[in-house]
Amino acid sequence: MRSAVLAVLPFALLAIPAAHAQEADRFTLRLGALNAHAETTLSASTTYQDQPYRFSETFDFGSEEWVPRVDGVFRMGDRHRLVFDYFNYDKKRRETLGEDISFDDTTIPAGSYAEAGLDFQLATLVYDFAVVENDSFSLGLQIGAEWAKAKATLVAEAGDDRWTDSASEDGYAPVVGVRFTARPGERWLLNLQGQYLDADWGDFNDYDGSITRANAIAEYRFNPNFGLFAGYEWYRLDVKRSVSGDGIRDGIAGWDQRFKGPVVGVTLAF
């Protein structure tokens, strides 16, 4: 996706007509919601007692969920910006047995259930330097820090038996990105942004992997201080962790988590 964005940018620059000059906003705040579809892929590979084993399964959290999305831009000069982004996905999914299930001498009664929950948060603060800045468009390169936290929970109940488990990890690391902003008209703004983080760059304990995000929005200003925007967001968390135990060597557990969907919201500018 990053390669595709970079390949399209030169053509986008040529295609954008000149716009009337606008007074630059000192501070811009976008408050919105993402209609997120979440998809999880769990994988594992290991060698146990000299036999290789591999596992991969994709899980769907069901229907889309409206989740908060916030970003802000503080313009410190013609080419200098601070950009902040925050995203939070928190959802549970429950599966319930509609009838008894029996195998051997064990019966799982109707009404038994398993409920999985996922709470993922991502916050980013970057410095953005505009390598190109004029009245029609701006192209910026970004560097900063990103914080991520993921918490997974599982609750299962069968008859009088109940099981609960949870795991939570968080960390931070440097992040790099690219931004392209165009003004095709006096009231219109188009903004494309992509960012990348490698877990090896920061403090994610013994996890390896990456976090990638990309978004595109179109914004319409009713006046200099208020507008509406709509677009599309895509996030990917791809992590792996080495595991070991009795008889196990070179074990790797993987988690590929993706969020995507349309985003809408309001813009406040000062």
Side-chain angles (χ1 to χ4, degrees), residues 61-72:
F61 268 80
S63 60
E64 288 80 6
E65 182 86 356
W66 284 102
V67 297
R69 173 205 183 275
V70 180
D71 76 76

Side-chain angles (χ1 to χ4, degrees), residues 23-28 73-75 183 219 221 224 269-270:
E23 184 177 350
D25 301 319
R26 182 71 169 176
F27 179 72
T28 304
V73 179
F74 176 63
R75 185 165 181 150
R183 296 185 179 275
E219 178 183 280
R221 292 285 183 90
F270 309 94

Side-chain angles (χ1 to χ4, degrees), residues 83-150:
V83 181
F84 168 77
D85 295 281
Y86 176 76
F87 165 75
N88 179 214
Y89 179 91
D90 186 2
K91 188 178 182 180
K92 293 180 173 64
R93 184 177 181 181
R94 176 181 291 201
E95 296 289 345
T96 304
L97 287 180
E99 59 184 19
D100 293 353
I101 295 179
S102 299
F103 55 94
D104 295 333
D105 296 329
T106 303
T107 299
I108 302 178
S112 301
Y113 70 88
E115 182 180 87
L118 174 64
D119 184 359
F120 178 70
Q121 299 180 68
L122 186 68
T124 308
L125 179 64
V126 298
Y127 165 69
D128 181 300
F129 176 75
V131 294
V132 179
E133 184 77 34
N134 57 48
D135 293 338
S136 297
F137 63 85
S138 171
L139 177 63
L141 300 180
Q142 302 173 339
I143 186 169
E146 193 163 74
W147 172 82
K149 181 178 181 179

Side-chain angles (χ1 to χ4, degrees), residues 17-218:
H20 297 294
Q22 300 184 41
E23 184 177 350
D25 301 319
R26 182 71 169 176
F27 179 72
T28 304
L29 179 64
R30 295 186 179 94
L31 305 174
L34 170 65
N35 189 21
H37 174 78
E39 186 177 274
T40 304
T41 300
L42 300 179
S43 62
S45 63
T46 188
T47 300
Y48 179 71
Q49 294 183 349
D50 297 325
Q51 294 295 321
Y53 293 91
R54 293 183 181 275
F55 165 83
S56 180
E57 186 72 28
T58 299
F59 302 90
D60 196 320
F61 268 80
S63 60
E64 288 80 6
E65 182 86 356
W66 284 102
V67 297
R69 173 205 183 275
V70 180
D71 76 76
V73 179
F74 176 63
R75 185 165 181 150
M76 302 178 292
D78 291 341
R79 294 179 179 268
H80 309 280
R81 298 169 173 84
L82 285 178
V83 181
F84 168 77
D85 295 281
Y86 176 76
F87 165 75
N88 179 214
Y89 179 91
D90 186 2
K91 188 178 182 180
K92 293 180 173 64
R93 184 177 181 181
R94 176 181 291 201
E95 296 289 345
T96 304
L97 287 180
E99 59 184 19
D100 293 353
I101 295 179
S102 299
F103 55 94
D104 295 333
D105 296 329
T106 303
T107 299
I108 302 178
S112 301
Y113 70 88
E115 182 180 87
L118 174 64
D119 184 359
F120 178 70
Q121 299 180 68
L122 186 68
T124 308
L125 179 64
V126 298
Y127 165 69
D128 181 300
F129 176 75
V131 294
V132 179
E133 184 77 34
N134 57 48
D135 293 338
S136 297
F137 63 85
S138 171
L139 177 63
L141 300 180
Q142 302 173 339
I143 186 169
E146 193 163 74
W147 172 82
K149 181 178 181 179
K151 181 180 181 180
T153 60
L154 177 64
V155 178
E157 187 174 289
D160 296 329
D161 296 321
R162 180 181 174 86
W163 300 270
T164 62
D165 196 10
S166 65
S168 179
E169 294 288 348
D170 67 289
Y172 57 89
V175 62
V176 294
V178 60
R179 173 196 53 83
F180 174 68
T181 305
R183 296 185 179 275
E186 189 172 359
R187 295 179 180 269
W188 286 96
L189 178 143
L190 303 176
N191 194 76
L192 288 79
Q193 184 174 250
Q195 294 174 343
Y196 176 80
L197 173 152
D198 193 300
D200 290 337
W201 297 347
D203 178 28
F204 282 95
N205 297 321
D206 54 351
Y207 285 87
D208 294 321
S210 62
I211 299 176
T212 310
R213 64 180 297 252
N215 64 71
I217 64 166

